[in-house]
Every structure is written in C-alpha cells, then in structure tokens.
Amino acid sequence: MDKFTTLTGVAAPLHLVNVDTDMIIPKQYLKTIKRTGLGKGLFSEMRYLEDGSDNPDFVLNKPAYKGAQILVAGDNFGCGSSREHAPWALLDFGIRCVISTSFADIFYNNCFKNGILPITVTHEQLAALFDDAARGANAKITVDLESQTITGPDGGSISFDIDPFRKHCLLNGLDDIGLTQVKADKIHSFEGKLAEERPWA
C-alpha cells in the first residue's frame, strides 16, 4: 500500500448526499476480485451517457477536474452495501482523499485499508471547501496527514481528527498484510522456539 503523507492537488466537488457504494461502483463491475481496473467504472452511471460517451456535465469529466485526487462530497458518503470495490475504484481512478461531514462506517474503515484518507469536517468547513473546489484547476488544496490539516488555496487551514493507529498505518503504507510483515522477526522467533519445544508439532 502506498504511503500517504502530504497530498496537494485539485479537489472535485460532488454536491450529492447519501452517495452509496452502488453509485460509486455499480454492481456490474463486481465480477472481479482484482483491485485494479475498476477506475473506469467509478460513478459510471453518472460519468457516461447511454451511448458510452463521457457525460460533459459530470464533475470528473470536466477539464478543470481531470486528474483530481481529492473528492469533496456531501453527507453520509459511502453508505449502502459494504463492497470493498468502492474504495478500490476510487483509488484506481486516482482519488487518495475524500472529505465529507460523515461516512458510512464500513466504507470509512475500508478506505484506510486501501490507502485512502477519509476526512470528516463540519458543515461550515465543508461549505468552505466546496467554495475552494469550485475554482477548479486554478485552486489547489493541500492535505497534510502528519499535521492533520487541510490548507486551501488562500492559505486558510482546517484541522481534522484521525485515530492515531490509522494515521500511523497510512503514513507508513501499512495495510493488514503490511502490519503482519512488520512483525515477521517475532513470528519467526516464535515459530523457531515452538519447533524446539514441540518437535512433533
């Protein structure tokens, strides 16, 4: 998993509430268990027209937000079913940070396990971030995980809270497998000792 330290980029404003995981990645894309290749299906029902061409009215198709790595969204983002394909699709598209006033618990946890930073802010702070994001490519936002701040294009700063353990994992690029590998020496030592004490096992 890639480390998350500081991210500076364009933030795309998604003025929708209750964005569920089926909107993020529709069910027809759930046939794969691979984490890659799902970016093409991200928000597909809104991104594409019936003929398969890009919907020019959808925010991520607008020139100002091409390559956006930050998503600013309305309340209750990631609700609905618990599909892990949702953060996989966001990450494969290039989104590394989602900012909202609230997240569904399972989606929120899945983000951390896949290298995405979900940030919870107040409604007032979200409104300010929507204003910043509305400027498109002319305004970039910086998310600093170490200092737990979001800095807008005009220098204004917002502080956010995060669980210390989750912060440690993101800063060091540790998913569940990575956390196990960190303890590889202790595991080998334990197994060696166990083999000596119980050679029949």
Side-chain angles (χ1 to χ4, degrees), residues 96-113:
R96 292 296 313 275
C97 178
V98 182
I99 305 171
S100 179
T101 56
S102 58
F103 295 91
D105 287 343
I106 295 175
F107 174 82
Y108 185 78
N109 292 328
N110 282 339
C111 280
F112 286 106
K113 292 180 179 181

Side-chain angles (χ1 to χ4, degrees), residues 21 27 68-69 84 106 121 181:
T21 52
K27 59 184 179 298
Q69 294 178 284
E84 195 169 6
I106 295 175
V121 296
Q181 292 175 331

